[in-house]
Amino acid sequence: MALKKNGFIPSSAPEELKKVLVAVASVWGDTIEDMEEFHVFPLKGAMTNEVFQINWPTNHGDLHQKVLVRVYGKGVEVFFNRDDEIRTFECMSELGQGPRLLGRFSDGRIEEFIHARTLSAADLRVPEISSLIGAKLREFNNLDMPGPKNVLLWERLRTWLSQAKRFCSPSTAKEFGLDGLEEEISILEKELTQGYQEIGFCHNDLQYGNIMMDEETRVITLIDYEYASYNPVAYDLANHFCEMAANYHSETPHILDYSIYPDLEERRRFISAYLVSSGNEYSDAKVEQLLSDAEKYTLANHLFWGLWGIISGHLNKIDFNYLEYARQRFQQYWLTKPLHLSS
């Protein structure tokens, strides 16, 4: 589209996007007479959508307004229902948990630009920041969201497995062992759902790029809820721990380094901060149980993102080696399965 003073937005509906941007600017009292007044800056690190910051000069001197434009990835409806995701986004906004929805166009939306810093991979290892994230995740998990509160993890795994088989060539399906994954999912579901499990509203994608922090107030905001659903909270913890092996802003963003997976004390500290933040008393036994449960759920997390990588490799045009990413997640599954399952 024509919004390219400092970048380019690959929307399939450029004229619609322009109209929505002009309308948003108008609500804020700004009159856009020339599309060149919009300055476009691509934001790196997104792997499901393409994300851009758009600035324009205000009618009040040299100040600039900022919004975030999200262009939906091609074929991502395979992963989640976009209408459900929009409802979640709007509900989170109403609860004061995230950015406001400012406008929509056919293949994307315009969001409030949060004036906070997106965290880096290194930030997750800072004890103070990690504790703040743990407390925020507990708050997130405790949200009472509208709609069914059923666990979606196992249904999603089976749906994604079916989709991965549909997209894969026979050789790729054989390489990833897709024909045997239905049984693996059933084994995991049986093993991991024994006994009591706390179910909460889970983010399911708590990587550093989806966490923002106000440098002055130290307030944490979690963003990007495409994959959010009700699940065991131990799964959300497992996902966050697995994401600590990633750096999506390196020269090889698809490469995972499990040598830096958080050690026992780091995980224990995070879970302690997670539990204490709710104000309720908790025991060491509770910490150890959640620690153990989270480690088991890393197996489901490897399959979840491994299948996501296979499907994305066939659908998404973002510059990211999805298949190699998937390969590493499956390798980690088979490597760690004997450590986490009793049989």
Side-chain angles (χ1 to χ4, degrees), residues 73-86:
K74 305 300 182 187
V76 297
E77 296 78 13
V78 168
F79 297 123
F80 49 81
N81 182 291
R82 182 60 72 181
D83 290 336
D84 288 346
E85 189 268 334
I86 287 286

Side-chain angles (χ1 to χ4, degrees), residues 233-245:
V233 299
Y235 176 78
D236 225 8
L237 292 166
N239 183 88
H240 182 63
F241 294 152
C242 287
E243 287 292 353
M244 294 174 81

Side-chain angles (χ1 to χ4, degrees), residues 12-265:
S12 63
E15 294 305 318
E16 183 185 1
L17 171 54
K18 289 178 193 176
K19 289 179 181 178
V20 176
L21 279 169
V22 169
V24 170
S26 176
V27 168
W28 288 343
D30 300 322
T31 303
I32 304 299
E33 297 180 351
D34 184 348
M35 288 300 117
E36 288 294 312
E37 293 182 54
F38 288 118
H39 293 220
V40 180
F41 303 93
L43 301 179
K44 296 181 179 180
M47 290 166 290
T48 298
N49 308 298
E50 293 186 80
V51 183
F52 305 85
Q53 174 186 325
I54 293 190
N55 301 354
W56 66 84
T58 71
N59 290 349
H60 312 290
D62 58 356
L63 297 176
H64 279 72
Q65 296 281 17
K66 296 179 182 179
V67 296
L68 185 142
V69 172
R70 185 180 304 275
V71 179
Y72 302 144
K74 305 300 182 187
V76 297
E77 296 78 13
V78 168
F79 297 123
F80 49 81
N81 182 291
R82 182 60 72 181
D83 290 336
D84 288 346
E85 189 268 334
I86 287 286
R87 279 192 291 272
T88 297
F89 185 94
E90 291 176 329
C91 186
M92 295 298 291
S93 179
E94 290 170 4
L95 292 170
Q97 290 287 333
R100 290 178 297 133
L101 178 63
L102 302 177
R104 298 175 65 179
F105 51 101
S106 59
D107 63 342
R109 65 176 179 248
I110 301 171
E111 303 172 11
E112 175 188 15
F113 190 91
I114 296 179
H115 295 277
R117 177 173 70 86
T118 303
L119 296 190
S120 67
D123 286 324
L124 301 187
R125 319 315 290 244
V126 178
E128 179 223 351
I129 296 176
S130 179
S131 293
L132 292 173
I133 296 168
K136 188 64 180 183
L137 181 59
R138 184 59 169 175
E139 179 186 339
F140 193 97
N141 290 161
N142 284 340
L143 291 173
D144 184 13
M145 299 293 284
K149 294 177 171 52
N150 305 327
V151 169
L152 285 189
L153 175 61
W154 309 110
E155 177 186 335
R156 261 188 180 162
L157 283 172
R158 291 186 173 95
T159 299
W160 290 10
L161 174 57
S162 176
Q163 295 288 353
K165 288 179 177 179
R166 184 166 68 87
F167 287 117
C168 274
S169 66
S171 61
T172 303
K174 182 177 180 180
E175 177 193 353
F176 285 101
L178 296 188
D179 287 342
L181 278 193
E182 180 68 45
E183 182 180 359
E184 291 297 316
I185 293 168
S186 295
I187 290 171
L188 285 183
E189 183 177 15
K190 180 180 178 181
E191 180 80 17
L192 271 55
T193 57
Q194 294 177 8
Y196 170 77
Q197 289 198 310
E198 181 181 347
I199 307 301
F201 187 68
C202 293
H203 187 282
N204 297 322
D205 188 19
L206 199 60
Q207 52 117 327
Y208 66 85
N210 290 335
I211 308 170
M212 304 188 76
M213 183 176 70
D214 186 304
E215 294 283 27
E216 294 184 3
T217 65
R218 311 303 274 178
V219 168
I220 296 288
T221 301
L222 307 186
I223 61 172
D224 291 5
Y225 319 117
E226 282 106 339
Y227 301 97
S229 70
Y230 277 90
N231 270 332
V233 299
Y235 176 78
D236 225 8
L237 292 166
N239 183 88
H240 182 63
F241 294 152
C242 287
E243 287 292 353
M244 294 174 81
N247 185 347
Y248 300 118
H249 290 79
S250 69
E251 291 184 1
T252 53
H254 60 283
I255 297 296
L256 302 167
D257 183 0
Y258 287 103
S259 72
I260 61 171
Y261 181 82
D263 63 24
L264 183 62
E265 286 309 309

Side-chain angles (χ1 to χ4, degrees), residues 277-314:
S277 66
S278 62
N280 299 322
E281 290 187 11
Y282 70 94
S283 63
D284 290 342
K286 174 67 172 176
V287 174
E288 296 305 313
Q289 184 61 57
L290 203 46
L291 187 62
S292 173
D293 291 346
E295 279 305 284
K296 290 181 179 180
Y297 269 106
T298 60
L299 295 173
N301 192 249
H302 290 316
L303 293 187
F304 186 93
W305 292 112
L307 291 169
W308 171 88
I310 292 172
I311 297 168
S312 296
H314 290 82

